[in-house]
Amino acid sequence: MQRLLHIDILSVLFGLGTWLCVNGLWVELPLLVQKLPEGWNLPSYLSVVVQLANVGPLLYTMLNTYFPRQVTDKRAIYFIMSIGLAATILLGLFWEKTTFVANSNHSTALLVLVFFLASVDCSSRVTYLPFMAKFNEIYLTSYFIGEGLSGFLPSIIALAQGVGGNPECRNNSFGNGTDAFTPDPRFSVDIFFYMLFVFTLISAVAFYCMNLDKVMSRAFVLSDTEVETKRPPTQGHNGDRSSISSSGSSCSRSIFEPPRTEPTGEGDLPDNNNDGNPTGRAILGLLDDGRNDESSLLVGMSKELFFYLLAMQALICMLSNGIFPSIQSYSCLPYGNVAYHLAVTLSNMANPAVCMLAFFIPPPNKSSITATAVLSLLISGYVMATAVLSPSPPLAQEPGGEVLLIFSWILLVALFTYVRVSIATMLRTRGQAGLFWCGAITQFGSTIGAIIAFVVVNYTNVFKPYYPCT
């Protein structure tokens, strides 16, 4: 099939809206922690809110299961995009608004709006990819480029924005000491959020164009009836859809890929197992030894390897999606605002870079995953030490310490991403059920990590902030 340039462009712009807002929030944290009452604890609040926002895809999955004709991918995407547009513009207007809760000020407006934004981005995992399955598979690459840009583009904008530099000590107005003064960035937080709104709007317009038959008619795959007529008898419809849905599932800050029940239509075909319940197949696959039953989840993979991969995924996601984002301010800010800014933005770029690199490296195996995980745990030990030893971590006043910290964060995120991508790649060979368990254990590990970090950061004295000029 001949590629059409305008369809590739629309697919890229559509994919841009997947994780744009959540990634934008994380790279803006170096400025937010300076201005909001939660201070250095703000990342731990956001980590928990993002995990709670996975109620979005859960709700969609339930509604799509019980009301498949009413709750379609197209309607759901229009709905969540509308929420995303409204939440983004409101974030630009009210992100600084605080209220007095539990004897202290809290950024209630920001946290509530982040919940809705994260619900939108998390729901994109179970709506955007199934929608792309309507188009020829050659356009999936363009979609995934857009998904990668959803993390890369906010980082570029944040780098252009800057943080104004490190704090300067200036005499206070009372003449009895000094206060820390931080120069303003090149443009404000409000402008940054308005830019996210513009890019979200562009993604929404692209989605609207992708629903116009005059624009996209030559990009659609065969209808279900045509597929049934022309497909070889041994090719499974659900197997094709699940392979499409898995292609980018590990390259996001929060991964949730529950099994979907497709809308039942006249042309829908059952899969090769004659079982329309992938969750049931997933559970039965764990109970089966996987050696004699071709429908088992564990065909071609031992139970030991399967559980090992799930355990590794849970551990890595607990660290990468829950614990380390919550303590990054304690690890980086003693080295200065600039170090924190560069560590956040450059490590955020490492995620899509590794996802793209995964297409060009040899297929993963247990040995490569284990070696990478061990190396990531060693580096995470150093990063954790810088957070625990705050406000006086190693080499805090040395230029070499700043460079080492930034490089450690970039490498840590890259290694974590590689492990997650590799495990998802191996588990997706088990089909939709394998992806279900990968997504479920990913979300479990991320949530546990976020809760642990929130409790430790906010209710213990393990992590201590650094106050310049004191």
Side-chain angles (χ1 to χ4, degrees):
M1 178 179 179
Q2 182 181 2
R3 300 188 74 104
L4 301 175
L5 179 60
H6 70 280
I7 300 176
D8 278 309
I9 294 174
L10 290 175
S11 299
V12 170
L13 295 177
F14 176 56
L16 178 64
T18 49
W19 291 94
L20 181 75
C21 296
V22 168
N23 285 320
L25 284 165
W26 286 108
V27 297
E28 197 68 359
L29 275 177
L31 290 174
L32 295 178
V33 297
Q34 297 179 30
K35 299 178 179 295
L36 295 177
E38 289 82 4
W40 291 26
N41 294 349
L42 181 62
S44 66
Y45 281 85
L46 293 183
S47 293
V48 172
V49 170
V50 169
Q51 299 308 321
L52 292 176
N54 279 285
V55 68
L58 278 173
L59 180 61
Y60 168 76
T61 302
M62 292 175 59
L63 292 175
N64 179 251
T65 299
Y66 293 107
F67 307 101
R69 295 187 182 278
Q70 291 77 24
V71 184
T72 62
D73 294 331
K74 179 179 176 180
R75 292 173 181 173
I77 293 173
Y78 273 125
F79 179 73
I80 65 176
M81 280 187 165
S82 299
I83 295 177
L85 288 169
T88 309
I89 196 71
L90 290 174
L91 199 60
L93 294 171
F94 301 111
W95 67 272
E96 282 188 288
K97 302 297 182 182
T98 61
T99 54
F100 200 73
V101 179
N103 299 321
S104 61
N105 276 327
H106 287 283
S107 310
T108 48
L110 176 78
L111 296 175
V112 170
L113 291 171
V114 166
F115 173 80
F116 285 104
L117 285 176
S119 296
V120 168
D121 287 2
C122 293
S123 298
S124 70
R125 180 59 58 202
V126 293
T127 54
Y128 284 33
L129 275 172
F131 173 79
M132 286 301 299
K134 299 177 182 179
F135 303 97
N136 191 285
E137 63 181 8
I138 63 174
Y139 298 110
L140 275 177
T141 301
S142 301
Y143 169 82
F144 288 127
I145 291 174
E147 190 174 271
L149 289 175
S150 71
F152 189 80
L153 186 59
S155 299
I156 292 294
I157 297 173
L159 283 176
Q161 180 186 28
V163 288
N166 293 322
E168 302 174 3
C169 297
R170 296 184 178 181
N171 293 328
N172 60 32
S173 57
F174 300 101
N176 58 359
T178 58
D179 292 331
F181 172 80
T182 302
D184 292 330
R186 295 183 181 91
F187 53 87
S188 66
V189 174
D190 310 50
I191 299 299
F192 180 87
F193 287 138
Y194 293 144
M195 294 176 73
L196 293 185
F197 169 80
V198 171
F199 287 115
T200 304
L201 181 61
I202 291 173
S203 180
V205 172
F207 175 69
Y208 172 78
C209 294
M210 294 177 76
N211 285 282
L212 299 177
D213 289 339
K214 292 182 179 180
V215 177
M216 307 298 292
S217 58
R218 295 171 60 187
F220 291 114
V221 296
L222 296 175
S223 67
D224 288 337
T225 304
E226 293 172 318
V227 171
E228 185 176 7
T229 303
K230 298 184 179 183
R231 181 173 53 236
T234 57
Q235 185 176 358
H237 172 70
N238 282 354
D240 293 340
R241 180 64 60 86
S242 66
S243 66
I244 291 172
S245 298
S246 70
S247 300
S249 61
S250 294
C251 297
S252 305
R253 184 173 296 278
S254 179
I255 312 159
F256 187 81
E257 192 77 42
R260 288 189 347 108
T261 302
E262 300 291 341
T264 305
E266 295 179 358
D268 287 347
L269 296 176
D271 63 12
N272 292 338
N273 298 327
N274 296 319
D275 183 356
N277 184 354
T279 308
R281 292 202 307 274
I283 297 173
L284 290 175
L286 290 178
L287 300 178
D288 196 292
D289 63 8
R291 293 182 174 85
N292 300 318
D293 183 0
E294 291 184 356
S295 68
S296 171
L297 169 66
L298 301 179
V299 168
M301 179 180 290
S302 66
K303 277 189 176 181
E304 291 76 12
L305 177 58
F306 182 78
F307 285 114
Y308 174 80
L309 293 177
L310 290 183
M312 184 65 71
Q313 185 81 335
L315 173 63
I316 294 300
C317 289
M318 182 177 68
L319 296 173
S320 64
N321 295 343
I323 293 178
F324 279 98
S326 301
I327 66 168
Q328 191 169 24
S329 55
Y330 290 91
S331 170
C332 298
L333 275 174
Y335 295 85
N337 292 341
V338 174
Y340 185 22
H341 173 64
L342 292 177
V344 171
T345 53
L346 296 180
S347 64
N348 202 55
M349 292 180 181
N351 189 304
V354 172
C355 291
M356 292 183 181
L357 184 64
F359 287 102
F360 305 101
I361 59 179
N365 52 47
K366 181 181 178 181
S367 298
S368 64
I369 291 174
T370 301
T372 307
V374 170
L375 180 58
S376 69
L377 292 176
L378 292 175
I379 297 175
S380 67
Y382 168 75
V383 172
M384 179 62 73
T386 61
V388 172
L389 295 176
S390 173
S392 301
L395 304 175
Q397 306 300 322
E398 302 293 334
E402 184 176 339
V403 173
L404 179 60
L405 177 82
I406 296 170
F407 178 75
S408 297
W409 271 102
I410 296 172
L411 186 57
L412 183 64
V413 172
L415 294 175
F416 279 157
T417 302
Y418 174 80
V419 174
R420 298 201 312 266
V421 171
S422 299
I423 292 175
T425 299
M426 293 185 68
L427 290 178
R428 76 178 180 181
T429 61
R430 308 276 64 79
Q432 204 169 30
L435 284 176
F436 165 73
W437 284 107
C438 180
I441 204 68
T442 292
Q443 196 52 48
F444 173 78
S446 302
T447 303
I448 294 299
I451 293 174
I452 292 174
F454 180 83
V455 172
V456 174
V457 168
N458 291 279
Y459 297 102
T460 71
N461 292 320
V462 174
F463 301 102
K464 301 179 179 63
Y466 164 74
Y467 299 102
C469 307
T470 59

